[in-house]
Amino acid sequence: MCPMNLSSSSVASEVSGDRTTSVAGPEPPGSPWPGRTEEIAGQIERAYPGYHVWTSDAGWWYATRMHPHVPGQAETIYGHGPGELTVALAAEEAATRSRARAGAW
């Protein structure tokens, strides 16, 4: 599965120092996506079924596998924002598929 395309007009990476802006102006520090977090988390959960997406108080985004995992699979994936999280999820899913194909032979 490919990483989600999160529009730069609604989500910005804090790693690069970008801030998300709204009609009302820049968002206050410490709340990078107020009101949008649940919507974005839901989009990621739909793109990667089997994961529950949540954020920490520090702003990190996590996706925890809801089903038992097999050896070699990460139980929780994380990223500094939703973009980084989807890239990490895509990498984890690719690695899981690769291990599954290798085990099939």
Side-chain angles (χ1 to χ4, degrees):
M1 183 164 289
C2 295
M4 291 176 52
N5 181 11
L6 299 172
S7 169
S8 62
S9 63
S10 63
V11 178
S13 171
E14 288 198 335
V15 172
S16 64
D18 294 340
R19 297 296 302 173
T20 300
T21 58
S22 66
V23 177
E27 300 292 351
S31 57
W33 303 285
R36 295 285 320 257
T37 301
E38 288 182 24
E39 178 185 345
I40 295 168
Q43 291 173 354
I44 296 170
E45 288 175 348
R46 285 187 294 279
Y48 295 92
Y51 287 93
H52 170 67
V53 176
W54 53 282
T55 59
S56 71
D57 292 340
W60 285 83
W61 286 64
Y62 295 87
T64 301
R65 194 177 299 277
M66 296 172 53
H67 305 292
H69 67 285
V70 297
Q73 287 181 327
E75 188 170 333
T76 299
I77 311 294
Y78 64 93
H80 194 262
E84 285 185 22
L85 177 60
T86 57
V87 169
L89 283 166
E92 175 65 17
E93 292 299 300
T96 298
R97 284 192 303 276
S98 177
R99 285 189 297 271
R101 280 194 301 267
W105 303 102

